[in-house]
């Protein structure tokens, strides 16, 4: 399965909501629980590793997708169910066409460019260590470009996404 085909596999989860963490459900301690932590699905690395060229390749994700689906099926069979699932580490192997990397943890907006790769650091929803407001970054991806904008929580709640970003999504 190619990277492009993989997008359809994960598209099925769009629009689903999880109410396990609603304010009503989490007001007080209700006893022991467990969660699942997974790491490094790193889509594309298995092919790159098998060909001995870890600096390139990564254009086939089939093996990793099958393993990730196996992990999800195994978790879904558990009884009792975990409270939540956290996925950490490398999500994808460096693939041709990566134009931007988005991260956080710096608690302020920052970034830069190195060899045509943008590094975008988004400020925090919570504690601010810089002058930015509590917020979120909206990222629109088209075939030609990646456009991103940081919004304060108040701004996003009151006005939503700006018209120019909405227009990009109509293509």
């Amino acid at each position: 399965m190619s990277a492009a085909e993989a997008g359809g596999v994960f598209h099925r989860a769009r629009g689903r909501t999880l109410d396990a963490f609603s304010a009503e459900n989490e007001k007080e301690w209700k006893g022991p629980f467990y969660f699942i932590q997974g790491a490094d699905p790193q889509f594309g690395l298995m092919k790159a590793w098998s060909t001995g060229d870890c600096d390139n390749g990564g254009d086939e994700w089939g093996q990793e997708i099958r393993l990730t689906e196996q992990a999800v099926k195994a978790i879904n069979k558990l009884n009792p169910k975990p409270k939540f699932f956290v996925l950490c580490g490398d999500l994808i192997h460096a693939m041709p066409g990566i134009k931007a990397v988005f991260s956080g943890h710096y608690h302020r907006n920052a970034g830069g460019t190195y060899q045509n790769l943008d590094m975008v650091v988004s400020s925090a929803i919570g504690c601010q260590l810089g002058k930015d407001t509590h917020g979120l970054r909206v990222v629109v991806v088209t075939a030609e470009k990646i456009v991103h904008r940081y919004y304060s929580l108040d701004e996003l709640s009151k006005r939503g996404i700006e018209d120019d970003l909405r227009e990009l999504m109509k293509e």
Side-chain angles (χ1 to χ4, degrees):
M1 180 178 293
S2 72
E5 294 168 319
V9 172
F10 296 105
H11 178 75
R12 290 177 279 188
R14 182 176 291 175
R16 295 185 184 169
T17 60
L18 174 66
D19 62 1
F21 297 107
S22 69
E24 192 60 38
N25 290 337
E26 296 297 323
K27 285 185 178 178
E28 60 186 51
W29 176 256
K30 293 186 177 158
F33 65 91
Y34 78 102
F35 66 91
I36 303 289
Q37 186 260 337
D40 296 312
Q42 205 153 348
F43 296 127
L45 179 60
M46 292 178 85
K47 179 190 177 198
W49 185 265
S50 70
T51 62
D53 186 5
C54 289
D55 292 331
N56 296 298
D59 58 341
E60 291 181 18
W61 297 5
Q63 290 177 281
E64 293 92 337
I65 287 173
R66 283 188 294 280
L67 290 167
T68 302
E69 288 174 338
Q70 181 180 354
V72 170
K73 286 177 185 175
I75 293 166
N76 284 336
K77 287 182 180 179
L78 295 173
N79 189 11
K81 298 284 185 213
K83 188 76 164 179
F84 56 89
F85 174 68
V86 175
L87 185 60
C88 306
D90 299 313
L91 301 180
I92 63 169
H93 185 61
M95 289 179 41
I98 299 244
K99 297 176 182 173
V101 175
F102 293 87
S103 72
H105 204 61
Y106 190 51
H107 292 259
R108 67 193 87 193
N109 288 310
T113 302
Y114 177 73
Q115 294 184 353
N116 297 321
L117 178 68
D118 288 332
M119 180 70 216
V120 182
V121 182
S122 293
S123 196
I125 292 171
C127 182
Q128 295 296 317
L129 299 180
K131 295 180 181 179
D132 299 302
T133 59
H134 305 274
L136 301 165
R137 184 170 305 278
V138 174
V139 182
V140 177
V141 181
T142 71
E144 295 81 31
K145 59 186 171 183
I146 298 172
V147 179
H148 57 89
R149 197 161 297 142
Y150 188 82
Y151 289 91
S152 74
L153 296 178
D154 290 336
E155 183 180 30
L156 195 57
S157 295
K158 290 175 185 169
R159 294 187 306 179
I161 299 171
E162 293 170 284
D163 290 339
D164 64 325
L165 295 180
R166 272 190 249 266
E167 285 299 315
L168 288 170
M169 292 184 282
K170 290 182 181 179
E171 296 177 7

